[in-house]
Amino acid sequence: MFDFRLQVFHKVAKRLNFTKAADELFITQPAVSKHIQEIESYLKIKLFERNGSKIKLTQAGIILLYHTEKLFEIYRDLEFELNTVTQKFNGKLRIGASTTIAQYVLPQILARFHEKFDHLKVSLVANNTEQIEIALQNNEIDLGVIEGKSKKSYLKYTQFVKDEIVLVANSNNPFSKKQNITIDELKSIPLLFREQGSGTLEVIAHYLKPLGIKISDLNIEMQLGSTESIKNYILNSNCMAFLSIHSIFTELKENKYSVIDIKDFVIERDFYFIQQQGQTEALPEVFMKFASHYNFK
């Protein structure tokens, strides 16, 4: 629908390689070069600096890339809006989400979704990742939204949104004044963790494993069944905990918590939509597209 030359520019700008862009667009490399030259000629400015076989974006190229991605987002929203006009969706959508996502990510999306599709009935249940996978397998829900690293062969996983798990302390904790801590220091700090079956716990264990550290090697003060319990415990102790950045936005703004950086250690993950393999129901697809277009602020 939109100018193909912008698609070519976007692909080259993201890959910084004409050959890879040509392969992914199923056109020839000379065709890619021609499209880029036409854009540069029209704009009367260079978009790429070439140094032998390597290229990089000019300042103008960086600006065009930024606005091209904004345009593509608008076009995706436009396509979604038009599709919802031509299709009438009815029924009930049963969503199951792991606890962090159900509490801190989905409510704002569900509110906007209800404004657009107020005739649809939507229910949301929260549990840990393991239980949500079981509920989907037992047809108790139509769509799951989970965290975690392991994948089951009988489920289809679709990437939803990025997350970072950070080490959190209350703002009065002595460690809050330190720029960062080491992995060795982490071993002696009293920590709170979620229960077994938690996707967050699984991801933390996954990132510690290459360092030769098990969860059991850490100084575990207590395991609690919810993120809110952990957050309230931290406020009343010198314990720390690994929590999703999505779960503490408000408290960080209010200076109740501090994020403690760990030297050379970052935990990043994706949240996923999960469906049963071969599932083709329309309502889960509608919600997935809507949520994927949501602008988190």
Side-chain angles (χ1 to χ4, degrees), residues 184-201:
D184 284 337
E185 286 177 300
L186 175 67
K187 292 179 182 178
S188 64
I189 293 170
L191 296 170
L192 302 172
F193 283 103
R194 287 282 306 280
E195 77 289 353
Q196 292 297 324
S198 158
T200 299
L201 186 65

Side-chain angles (χ1 to χ4, degrees), residues 108-280:
Q108 54 189 313
I109 297 174
L110 288 170
R112 300 286 81 77
F113 186 76
H114 178 71
E115 288 179 358
K116 184 172 292 293
F117 301 100
D118 60 351
H119 58 289
L120 294 178
K121 301 296 182 183
V122 181
S123 64
L124 172 65
V125 295
N127 214 318
N128 64 40
T129 291
E130 184 179 358
Q131 292 302 315
I132 293 302
E133 291 174 334
I134 292 171
L136 186 65
Q137 188 180 15
N138 293 338
N139 293 313
E140 295 167 7
I141 57 174
D142 307 304
L143 177 68
V145 196
I146 64 165
E147 52 209 90
K149 294 292 290 186
S150 61
K151 291 185 170 63
K152 308 291 192 301
S153 60
Y154 56 84
L155 297 177
K156 175 186 175 184
Y157 294 78
T158 304
Q159 189 181 43
F160 173 29
V161 70
K162 295 259 179 213
D163 182 38
E164 183 178 357
I165 298 173
V166 294
L167 184 63
V168 179
N170 76 57
S171 296
N172 295 320
N173 189 304
F175 280 98
S176 295
K177 297 179 175 60
K178 294 192 67 170
Q179 188 170 3
N180 56 50
I181 64 171
T182 65
I183 284 291
D184 284 337
E185 286 177 300
L186 175 67
K187 292 179 182 178
S188 64
I189 293 170
L191 296 170
L192 302 172
F193 283 103
R194 287 282 306 280
E195 77 289 353
Q196 292 297 324
S198 158
T200 299
L201 186 65
E202 180 190 17
V203 172
I204 296 167
H206 173 83
Y207 275 86
L208 288 172
K209 188 175 181 179
L211 303 176
I213 300 173
K214 300 177 182 177
I215 295 290
S216 58
D217 295 330
L218 301 176
N219 181 13
I220 303 174
E221 179 161 322
M222 197 174 295
Q223 286 186 280
L224 298 173
S226 75
T227 299
E228 282 300 304
S229 296
I230 291 175
K231 287 168 61 178
N232 286 322
Y233 193 112
I234 290 172
L235 287 176
N236 294 282
S237 78
N238 279 330
C239 264
M240 299 187 199
F242 286 99
L243 296 172
S244 164
I245 193 69
H246 286 278
S247 71
I248 58 169
F249 281 144
T250 301
E251 289 82 3
L252 287 177
K253 290 178 182 176
E254 296 171 351
N255 295 315
K256 291 181 178 180
Y257 296 148
S258 295
V259 171
I260 310 299
D261 291 326
I262 304 172
K263 190 175 181 181
D264 301 323
F265 187 69
V266 176
I267 302 179
E268 295 178 329
R269 64 176 173 181
D270 292 299
F271 292 148
Y272 290 95
F273 295 113
I274 57 170
Q275 300 167 278
Q276 295 197 51
Q277 291 285 4
Q279 182 179 341
T280 58

